[in-house]
Amino acid sequence: MSRYLEFDGIGKAFPGVQALRGISFRAESGRVLALLGENGAGKSTLLKIMSGDLQPDEGRLLRDGEPAVFSSPFHAIKSGISVIYQERQIMPMMTVMENIFLDDAPRKMGVVSRKALKRQTQEIIDRFGLPIFPTETVGRLSVAYQQMVEIMKAYRRNSDVIAFDEPTAPLTDTEIAILFKLIGELKAAGKIIIYVSHRLTEIFKITDDIVILKDGQLVKTVETGRTDERELIRAMVGRDIGDTYSELKRNDVLGETVLDVQDLVTDVVHGVSFTLRKGEVLGFAGLAGAGRTEVVRAIFGADPIISGQIKLDGKTVRFKSPRDAIDAGIALCPEDRKEQGLVLLRSLKDNISMPVLRKIRRAIFLDKKAEVDLARRAVEKYSIKTPGVDKVVVELSGGNQQKVILGRWTSDKMTTKVLIFDEPTKGIDVGTKAEVYQMVCDFAKAGMGVIFISSELTEVINIADAILVMHNGHITGKVNREDATEENILRLAMLE
Amino acid sequence: MNNQSTVRRLLRNKTVSLALVTVAVVALFFFLSKDGSFLKTRNLRGILNMVSVTGTVAVGMACLLISGGVDLAASSEACLGGILCAMLLRAGISWPLALFLAIIYGAVAGAINAFLANVMNIMGFIATIGMSSVYTGLAKVFTDAKFISVNDKEFQKLGSSAIFGFVPVPFVIMLALMILYGFMLRYTRFGRRSYMCGGNPQAARLSGMSPNRTTTVLYINCGALSAFAGSVLASRMHSATATAAQSVAIDAITASVLGGISFMGGSGGIAGCFVGLMLLSAFNNGLNVVQLQSYWQLVAQGALLIIALCVEFFGERARLKALKRREP
């Protein structure tokens, strides 16, 4: 069993962004090391290098001083490294035992022995004291237990190094307690544990060492006992987080109601009502899967509505498609920029003109000159860093991609009344985040109603005028800006 | 990047470099063939005749691929289109009406494909393979595996006459279609929507476009053009059979992919498709002219496609690397 895993000068670049630069630190056996950093700091990239999914451009990994090269995830797993990602790596249609022994089932004369498989799986389940059965289909388990299955898989592989990528994000309090107990046992067994999260309270609860990344660089290594939250935040953000927010020029003139939603019901949303005023920034908080995205998608006409009433500027509307919503003045910056927001292989200009093609035509043809002008104005307005409007968007950085989407919805050919942001700062660097916050405030100032969905509590608390907290498809509470604290929002978000 | 000479920039352009490859292939076969018979009028006319049927299908296929769909039933739609046209003519219907009805059949076949792909959510790939079998079967049922001769003199002219006594009319029609659809893709809203919906249907929908509507139109279009191509073939051959046009779907896809149209949708254009088509046809015909054994022809044709895809892959990788080096 190896005693330590060392990162030695790791560097990695992607087109348009240096994801990691000169990362060196050491994770020791029997200790939990926290990898801390904002979104886009490079934590996930580092994990992917560790798991053999990506190859570093510079630097190397060492185990007990010996260089370790993982040319593929297969190699990394074989040499005892397991990474448990946010996106589950399970086979939902298969059983617990099949998942745990996926790559190495016990055999009898070359054929998988179900009996041995079941017995050995039960032993592992008992070892962790979990109330699940070897023959259950994994897809039917709750998210938390699916994660436990992954941990058991790593345990079964006898991995020396187990890394967790934000494991608590989808879990409830009770489930988190079980997870922490498991991690404690792995630690006692002398495993090297790397724990990625940006929830500070957790970090203080279960980790021994902390490594802080910022914009792809290592800014601080510290023992957990010798630091406090304030110091960590300052290291993560580069300055006191308060500054970013206090420098914002907010809008404080609220107009009349622009959007009024009553008893909205869809597959996953169960009776959501709220109103949005002109110039207001309305935050949506809640855990992943609470139904925030689904609410805005339904309003936007992207998902079918079962019942409920939506009024825009006092008029009842029911959008059959996003096209209708856009024409009525609603715009959505979706959760996943690359999957839902952009056509990555097309140019910046093509992406900006998408919703307004019918307004930039000359007879049956597209007015290419008008289109280029439109895109140029967006590039100027949001200072998008690009050599030209014909640049393919896949080659832009995350922040600039987000600006392209903003440019799309706020061009002078659009009359946006309600602008919806779904996790707009996911995966973009801190500097650009501050820019995005200011833009959100500017849109409010311009009299738009803004809906701001975010999983980063500090962000919602500081940007929104009021916060709606969702849990399981319901709104569990509305918190005004003055009363908003991480605690009271979390309590509403995790309502049992 | 800016001080690059025009020549270098042109060479970077995939379509231009592919055109050069085509010229090289033509030259190669010219020298390999007996007394340059590859470039004799007779053979060239044969190539143009071949190209025009495949090319007409390829126009529809290219647009469909760009928008994210695919029609593997195009061959059987062409074949059955030709047969229906011939049967209608034999029943005494005037040729313009017969041709029109055959095209309508193609459009309906395309609409069925679109229904399966967009409404039933079956992968276009699989759905059209299934339909292909249905149409091929029907073609055999209708013809009883025999030739149906086309005796209408006027209709025969459509496929067999030539302009200046040399350029076949079907080739001129195909060129016109290519120019028309090329313009459509480049300069109209519908063309732009095709690219965006093919590139990322989710993003396109959330930006107010309708990927389903776009691909539906292009499925119908591809079916109609295929049936038209099949009718033209029947006109040129003066007959229709259940084994006609068997490889046009694959050839149309190959030409498109050679020309830089991604199977994933959202990229490429008609110009590339045209050059890809010429390369493919010159190559296929050249193999014939130099009298390569037909089994080996098959091997060579497959190898051509695979090599083109590999070149594309390495090119893309080099481009990404260069990009990375340029950034800080």
Side-chain angles (χ1 to χ4, degrees):
Chain A
M1 174 166 287
S2 59
R3 292 181 309 279
Y4 66 86
L5 175 72
E6 186 171 349
F7 293 77
D8 181 23
I10 300 280
K12 178 81 192 169
F14 295 116
V17 57
Q18 180 77 32
L20 292 175
R21 193 180 312 223
I23 305 285
S24 301
F25 66 89
R26 187 186 276 197
E28 313 233 5
S29 148
R31 291 175 79 84
V32 179
L33 177 129
L35 210 50
L36 193 60
E38 296 240 309
N39 287 333
K43 298 167 296 185
S44 299
T45 310
L46 200 56
L47 283 189
K48 282 192 178 147
I49 286 175
M50 209 178 103
S51 70
D53 200 2
L54 293 174
Q55 303 307 314
D57 298 338
E58 301 153 16
R60 55 195 184 148
L61 286 169
L62 299 166
R63 299 183 69 182
D64 297 334
E66 294 290 316
V69 180
F70 306 130
S71 48
S72 73
F74 178 77
H75 279 111
I77 290 168
K78 278 280 168 224
S79 40
I81 293 190
S82 287
V83 178
I84 295 163
Y85 287 106
Q86 274 164 300
E87 307 85 36
R88 310 270 97 79
Q89 316 273 305
I90 53 160
M91 309 281 165
M93 310 300 275
M94 295 172 80
T95 61
V96 171
M97 56 186 193
E98 282 162 340
N99 267 283
I100 292 182
F101 283 91
L102 203 54
D103 43 359
D104 194 19
R107 268 165 247 255
K108 206 167 164 185
M109 301 194 311
V111 181
V112 173
S113 155
R114 274 183 73 83
K115 227 162 106 190
L117 188 61
K118 197 171 162 188
R119 197 190 61 241
Q120 292 181 24
T121 307
Q122 191 62 52
E123 279 166 18
I124 299 175
I125 293 174
D126 292 343
R127 165 87 180 69
F128 290 101
L130 297 174
I132 54 179
F133 300 102
T135 49
E136 270 178 289
T137 306
V138 168
R140 297 217 176 137
L141 296 174
S142 74
V143 177
Y145 285 118
Q146 292 183 5
Q147 198 174 55
M148 304 300 166
V149 169
E150 284 210 67
I151 296 173
M152 288 190 282
K153 189 162 86 185
Y155 176 83
R156 198 274 307 157
R157 282 175 183 156
N158 221 349
S159 302
D160 289 347
V161 184
I162 301 177
F164 296 88
D165 188 9
E166 304 207 17
T168 54
L171 303 188
T172 63
D173 274 346
T174 352
E175 291 165 344
I176 290 175
I178 302 173
L179 173 71
F180 285 180
K181 192 172 144 269
L182 275 187
I183 291 180
E185 299 203 10
L186 295 171
K187 182 176 152 181
K191 308 283 185 199
I192 298 169
I193 297 168
I194 296 180
Y195 188 88
V196 175
S197 176
H198 45 220
R199 296 189 177 180
L200 292 176
T201 37
E202 290 172 12
I203 300 241
F204 282 102
K205 214 176 274 173
I206 63 157
T207 69
D208 303 295
D209 304 289
I210 301 175
V211 166
I212 301 172
L213 300 181
K214 176 176 149 44
D215 300 340
Q217 274 166 312
L218 193 149
V219 289
K220 199 178 184 69
T221 317
V222 66
E223 256 180 64
T224 310
R226 299 189 179 188
T227 183
D228 61 14
E229 252 182 60
R230 208 181 148 72
E231 191 186 10
L232 291 184
I233 291 178
R234 198 175 308 138
M236 263 162 79
V237 182
R239 53 177 175 166
D240 272 324
I241 188 85
D243 297 349
T244 319
Y245 299 116
S246 59
E247 280 165 14
L248 284 180
K249 292 179 207 70
R250 304 177 55 83
N251 173 48
D252 26 47
V253 199
L254 298 194
E256 61 216 70
T257 301
V258 56
L259 183 69
D260 181 359
V261 177
Q262 294 302 324
D263 293 317
L264 182 72
V265 178
T266 76
D267 290 356
V268 282
V269 177
H270 314 297
V272 160
S273 306
F274 67 90
T275 59
L276 172 71
R277 296 169 67 184
K278 284 182 181 164
E280 184 182 27
V281 179
L282 185 62
F284 268 77
L287 303 179
R292 299 167 299 172
T293 299
E294 289 74 8
V295 168
V296 295
R297 278 181 63 94
I299 294 172
F300 191 59
D303 290 339
I305 293 175
I306 294 171
S307 67
Q309 194 179 40
I310 301 170
K311 281 185 183 168
L312 186 69
D313 275 339
K315 264 180 283 176
T316 303
V317 288
R318 175 67 70 97
F319 304 125
K320 281 196 231 61
S321 69
R323 175 83 261 162
D324 296 348
I326 293 165
D327 291 341
I330 300 186
L332 171 71
C333 303
E335 183 178 19
D336 189 327
R337 260 193 313 278
K338 294 183 177 166
E339 288 286 315
Q340 300 164 1
L342 296 163
V343 184
L344 287 171
L345 293 174
R346 304 303 301 180
S347 69
L348 184 149
K349 153 184 83 71
D350 290 6
N351 272 282
I352 285 182
S353 64
M354 282 171 89
V356 294
L357 288 181
R358 64 178 64 171
K359 290 182 186 158
I360 48 171
R361 64 178 167 181
R362 190 178 279 165
I364 58 163
F365 297 110
L366 278 174
D367 187 342
K368 297 240 172 183
K369 195 175 156 301
E371 191 186 21
V372 168
D373 287 344
L374 189 79
R376 287 216 176 113
R377 281 196 296 273
V379 168
E380 212 165 293
K381 189 165 163 191
Y382 297 114
S383 45
I384 301 174
K385 289 191 199 92
T386 173
V389 296
D390 287 319
K391 183 86 169 169
V392 179
V393 290
V394 73
E395 292 167 9
L396 300 176
S397 73
N400 283 309
Q401 290 180 346
Q402 190 64 281
K403 288 178 179 177
V404 171
I405 299 182
L406 280 177
R408 174 193 296 162
W409 293 128
T410 57
S411 72
D412 37 33
K413 303 277 183 208
M414 294 281 309
T415 43
T416 305
K417 295 174 195 160
V418 175
L419 186 50
I420 304 168
F421 291 95
D422 196 352
E423 305 279 6
T425 58
K426 209 176 184 179
I428 67 181
D429 57 80
V430 191
T432 315
K433 268 188 188 177
E435 279 182 69
V436 170
Y437 298 151
Q438 186 53 56
M439 285 173 206
V440 169
C441 295
D442 290 346
F443 295 136
K445 267 195 183 150
M448 293 182 198
V450 180
I451 292 178
F452 187 89
I453 300 179
S454 173
S455 294
E456 278 183 59
L457 285 178
T458 42
E459 184 175 288
V460 203
I461 291 173
N462 283 284
I463 302 299
D465 296 307
I467 300 155
L468 294 172
V469 189
M470 287 195 68
H471 176 80
N472 248 341
H474 296 276
I475 288 182
T476 46
K478 180 173 180 176
V479 186
N480 286 322
R481 180 174 156 74
E482 308 81 60
D483 315 323
T485 61
E486 295 210 11
E487 289 74 44
N488 60 20
I489 290 176
L490 263 183
R491 200 171 328 114
L492 289 166
M494 308 226 271
L495 219 62
E496 277 300 293
Chain B
M1 290 285 275
N2 295 327
N3 52 14
Q4 232 168 47
S5 67
T6 320
V7 177
R8 269 188 73 181
R9 225 179 19 248
L10 272 177
L11 280 177
R12 282 265 171 103
N13 183 311
K14 276 183 208 151
T15 310
V16 174
S17 45
L18 193 68
L20 292 179
V21 173
T22 310
V23 172
V25 166
V26 168
L28 176 75
F29 283 123
F30 174 68
F31 290 118
L32 283 180
S33 59
K34 264 190 212 130
D35 2 298
S37 61
F38 182 71
L39 282 182
K40 290 259 164 69
T41 322
R42 222 179 90 96
N43 189 49
L44 281 184
R45 206 172 151 172
I47 294 185
L48 294 187
N49 269 328
M50 279 294 302
V51 161
S52 49
V53 173
T54 313
T56 304
V57 175
V59 174
M61 190 69 81
C63 296
L64 186 57
L65 285 171
I66 285 171
S67 77
V70 65
D71 185 1
L72 289 169
S75 296
S76 59
E77 284 157 7
C79 174
L80 191 53
I83 289 167
L84 288 178
C85 189
M87 287 170 72
L88 289 168
L89 285 170
R90 203 170 53 179
I93 290 172
S94 72
W95 76 263
L97 184 62
L99 180 61
F100 177 73
L101 289 175
I103 293 173
I104 292 292
Y105 149 72
V108 170
I112 294 172
N113 291 337
F115 172 79
L116 294 174
N118 292 336
V119 182
M120 306 304 287
N121 276 324
I122 305 171
M123 273 171 67
F125 198 79
I126 304 295
T128 53
I129 285 184
M131 289 316 293
S132 170
S133 177
V134 170
Y135 298 135
T136 308
L138 284 179
K140 289 188 174 151
V141 171
F142 288 163
T143 58
D144 199 15
K146 294 189 184 87
F147 283 92
I148 299 182
S149 54
V150 172
N151 298 320
D152 189 312
K153 289 280 179 277
E154 286 299 309
F155 183 64
Q156 286 175 0
K157 276 188 192 161
L158 175 72
S160 359
S161 52
I163 294 178
F164 311 129
F166 171 68
V167 188
V169 168
F171 184 76
V172 176
I173 295 175
M174 181 212 81
L175 268 188
L177 285 171
M178 287 222 161
I179 292 167
L180 183 71
Y181 281 83
F183 262 94
M184 186 278 287
L185 283 174
R186 254 186 123 98
Y187 296 108
T188 69
R189 282 186 297 147
F190 184 81
R192 176 62 63 76
R193 284 207 294 265
S194 307
Y195 280 105
M196 300 315 255
C197 293
N200 185 345
Q202 276 201 70
R205 178 159 179 266
L206 291 179
S207 303
M209 297 175 174
S210 173
N212 279 358
R213 203 180 304 159
T214 308
T215 51
T216 299
V217 170
L218 291 174
Y219 268 115
I220 292 174
N221 177 62
C222 184
L225 283 175
S226 299
F228 174 69
S231 305
V232 171
L233 181 66
S235 151
R236 193 183 86 217
M237 307 300 279
H238 299 191
S239 72
T241 81
T243 53
Q246 263 171 340
S247 66
V248 291
I250 296 300
D251 286 346
I253 292 174
T254 307
S256 301
V257 172
L258 277 175
I261 293 174
S262 162
F263 217 80
M264 310 299 290
S267 63
I270 293 289
C273 172
F274 176 74
V275 177
L277 181 71
M278 295 317 276
L279 173 57
L280 183 73
S281 312
F283 187 75
N284 286 354
N285 178 275
L287 294 178
N288 251 329
V289 171
V290 300
Q291 289 167 347
L292 189 69
Q293 197 201 346
S294 69
Y295 302 152
W296 283 108
Q297 285 188 21
L298 216 53
V299 174
Q301 285 161 11
L304 172 73
L305 179 64
I306 300 299
I307 290 170
L309 291 176
C310 292
V311 168
E312 175 86 23
F313 169 77
F314 285 118
E316 187 63 15
R317 209 169 61 167
R319 201 180 64 87
L320 279 177
K321 267 196 184 151
L323 196 75
K324 214 152 73 177
R325 239 178 280 122
R326 207 148 37 78
E327 305 284 342

